[in-house]
Every structure is written in structure tokens, then in C-alpha cells.
Amino acid sequence: MAAKPIYRVVVHQQGEIWDLYVREIFQSELWGFIEVEEFVFEDASRVVVDPASEKLRHTFEGVKRSYLPLNAIVRIDEVEREGPLKAVKSDAQVAEFPRPFPLPPRGD
């Protein structure tokens, strides 16, 4: 039997880019949201502790299911195994999708 796939979900959240690892992901019944379940965390017995990774671990510890707005999701990848959780400050502007495009100026 094949192992359940692991997905890396990259989310833009309040000026940070988060890398989350989950086993279940699907369209929510709540319009405009994606549901993610079964968060996957790296082994906590590592000698080196990353504060950003620990922040996300504590944020999602005990969370059964999370509803992420579609416009906050940057990308979703199916990966071989989980990686480190990341929370990186983002100075770049991340455009929401879908986003209305401005019309070009009309000539008189």
C-alpha cells in the first residue's frame, strides 16, 4: 500500500510566507477556502532549534483542520517527505488571486 502523499502549502500570512506540510488538502464547503488537515512536523528532537519553525509548530499544535483563504495561498506542491516549517518575512507584494485588472486609459 502506498503511503499517503505529503503536500507543501505555501501561504502568505500577514507579511510572512509560511511553508506548511499536510497530508490532506481539499476544497472547502466554505466558499473561497481550502481545507488542510493532518499537519506534518519534523522530528522535534533535533539539536538545532529554528525559532520560526517552533513558532509555526506552536501555532498549529493541536489543530485538527485549518481553513485557508484561496487568496492567501501562493502554491501547493506534492512532495516526497516533509521539510522544515518556515516563516519568512516578505517585503515583496503578493497579489491576491483573482484580482481585477485595471482597464487601460481611454484616448479622447
Side-chain angles (χ1 to χ4, degrees), residues 44-89:
S45 63
R46 295 180 302 143
V47 176
V48 179
V49 177
D50 179 19
S53 179
E54 286 302 308
K55 171 188 163 187
L56 289 177
R57 181 187 303 273
H58 290 301
T59 299
F60 291 101
E61 193 172 47
V63 174
K64 179 180 175 184
R65 177 181 302 136
S66 188
Y67 299 88
L68 303 174
L70 284 173
N71 63 346
I73 296 176
V74 176
R75 73 185 285 156
I76 299 171
D77 299 317
E78 184 174 344
V79 295
E80 296 281 327
R81 61 183 177 271
E82 73 274 5
L85 297 176
K86 294 180 189 174
V88 180
K89 287 283 187 197

Side-chain angles (χ1 to χ4, degrees), residues 8-24:
R8 178 179 57 215
V9 182
V10 181
V11 180
H12 184 254
Q13 175 68 21
Q14 297 178 347
E16 292 183 332
I17 301 293
W18 292 358
D19 281 4
L20 306 173
Y21 291 87
V22 297
R23 292 203 182 270
E24 297 286 338

